[in-house]
Amino acid sequence: MNLELRHLRVVCAIAETGSVTKAAATLGLAQPALTAQLQRIERALGGPLFERDRRGARPTPLGELVLDRARVLLPAMKGLQDEAARLAGAGDPPRRYRFGGVNSPILGRLVHRLAAEQPEVQITTYASWSVDELAQLVAGGRLDFALTGVCGDATPSAEFGLSWREVAVDPVFVLLKQSHPMADRDEIRLVDLRREQWVAAPGDGCFGDCFAAACARAGFTPRKVYEVDVRGCLDLVDAGEAIALCQATFRPVAGLVTRRLAGTPLRWRLLLGWHPDAPAARVAETVLETAVAAYTDALANHPDYLAWLLRHRDFGAQPATVGGVRSA
């Protein structure tokens, strides 16, 4: 049997989890199948790679040697594949747009505009709660653009080498049941919500920390915070069990309302990211302009918020400052 990269991934997975059973679960394989594969790998390499007992699996000296080489080879091959994916078709006009989004309020309108302007281009979308996952997919050439948001002046991780540009900056709103005692207010002080229970969608950004810090500045610690998907958030708010933070352009379902937080204690920056060495970089400014237009389209459904933006020029679509775009 010839040793392949997938075999090295198996060895690394067993070493990292310390168990063949756990490695099988991580790799999505049945435990007997992984055991048989490990035995074939060991025969090909001439000896056992792990000592296995009730406490788990520990590398033998031969296993340590294989692991040392695998930990060099696997990242190197991943880097080669990522570079090849980014550079493939670099001289051709774009034939597709691959977007990833984290609960983006403008993705649908962005896709609609691009499809209308370039009907010959294929457009695909990918959803994830993780900004890092989307950034990794863009860096690896599997997505062209990531649409995400960050709180305040935070920026996504620089680990993946992406260029990030601001599309818009919005104050964070609160989502309430229409019968909530404060639903008739135009804006609500955060401190007035100190006795409420909250619900939020999952994510790997800093927004939870920003929310906790804003509450601390207002003089309280938030009560119980549920974590569920968007549908679950709406259900809990509709049931009167909790309230939620939401984006200014969020369109509530019947029976729910959104209200501004007084003094804008929280800001949400909508960002577009791409890899500067990828073919997508050649059309990034066009996509950014289309994203800003899609954001402007979204405001049509929020006349009260649009009127507020006209009085608060620091919010809304952001002016270009660097090379026609505003840096994040």
Side-chain angles (χ1 to χ4, degrees):
M1 181 187 79
N2 292 325
L3 198 63
E4 301 177 13
L5 290 177
R6 61 188 178 92
H7 299 137
L8 297 181
R9 293 190 185 97
V10 166
V11 175
C12 287
I14 295 171
E16 289 167 3
T17 61
S19 162
V20 172
T21 300
K22 292 178 181 177
T26 299
L27 296 170
L29 300 173
Q31 189 269 336
L34 186 61
T35 298
Q37 191 171 36
L38 175 60
Q39 291 171 346
R40 290 194 295 272
I41 295 170
E42 290 177 328
R43 284 196 298 270
L45 291 170
L49 301 182
F50 296 93
E51 295 177 358
R52 298 168 59 193
D53 55 31
R54 292 180 179 178
R55 292 178 295 173
R58 296 174 303 284
T60 63
L62 177 59
E64 292 285 5
L65 174 65
V66 174
L67 285 167
D68 286 344
R69 300 296 190 272
R71 287 164 178 159
V72 173
L73 286 171
L74 290 175
M77 286 302 299
K78 177 68 165 55
L80 173 61
Q81 291 169 339
D82 289 351
E83 288 292 325
R86 283 201 299 267
L87 295 176
D92 300 330
R95 296 186 299 273
R96 65 185 181 189
Y97 293 106
R98 298 169 298 172
F99 290 98
V102 179
N103 200 20
S104 172
I106 66 165
L107 181 59
R109 290 179 175 85
L110 173 59
V111 169
H112 176 72
R113 275 184 166 269
L114 287 172
E117 294 168 3
Q118 304 177 53
E120 74 285 356
V121 174
Q122 179 185 8
I123 302 174
T124 59
T125 59
Y126 176 79
S128 172
W129 293 113
S130 170
V131 177
D132 283 350
E133 181 192 5
L134 293 179
Q136 187 172 13
L137 290 171
V138 173
R142 291 162 177 78
L143 290 175
D144 299 312
F145 297 96
L147 267 172
T148 185
V150 294
C151 61
D153 296 320
T155 56
S157 171
E159 175 185 354
F160 305 103
L162 269 58
S163 296
W164 293 98
R165 299 293 184 268
E166 271 185 6
V167 177
V169 180
D170 289 313
V172 173
F173 278 36
V174 63
L175 180 68
L176 307 165
K177 189 170 183 178
Q178 198 166 27
S179 59
H180 190 282
M182 300 184 207
D184 58 350
R185 304 183 187 181
D186 290 334
E187 60 179 23
I188 302 172
R189 296 190 308 161
L190 184 58
V191 68
D192 292 341
L193 300 170
R194 62 190 179 279
R195 295 186 177 88
E196 301 287 343
Q197 296 190 132
W198 298 82
V199 61
D204 60 3
C206 65
F207 192 80
D209 294 336
C210 294
F211 172 55
C215 292
R217 290 193 297 271
F220 72 98
T221 299
R223 294 179 63 196
K224 183 173 183 178
V225 179
Y226 298 100
E227 184 177 285
V228 293
D229 59 20
V230 173
R231 179 68 246 184
C233 287
L234 296 177
D235 287 343
L236 281 167
V237 175
D238 186 54
E241 180 65 22
I243 63 175
L245 297 173
C246 66
Q247 298 175 38
T249 52
F250 178 77
R251 286 183 291 177
V253 298
L256 305 183
V257 296
T258 62
R259 295 293 181 260
R260 293 190 308 276
L261 289 172
T264 59
L266 291 164
R267 293 181 299 125
W268 187 249
R269 298 166 60 228
L270 180 61
L271 305 179
L272 179 73
W274 63 88
H275 197 284
D277 297 332
R282 294 181 292 112
V283 295
E285 187 167 347
T286 297
V287 173
L288 178 66
E289 292 171 354
T290 307
V292 171
Y295 171 83
T296 303
D297 291 343
L299 295 177
N301 293 316
H302 303 270
D304 292 342
Y305 178 52
L306 180 57
W308 185 90
L309 285 177
L310 294 175
R311 301 191 303 272
H312 298 81
R313 297 292 185 175
D314 290 341
F315 291 92
Q318 295 303 292
T321 58
V322 179
V325 294
R326 180 182 173 100
S327 298

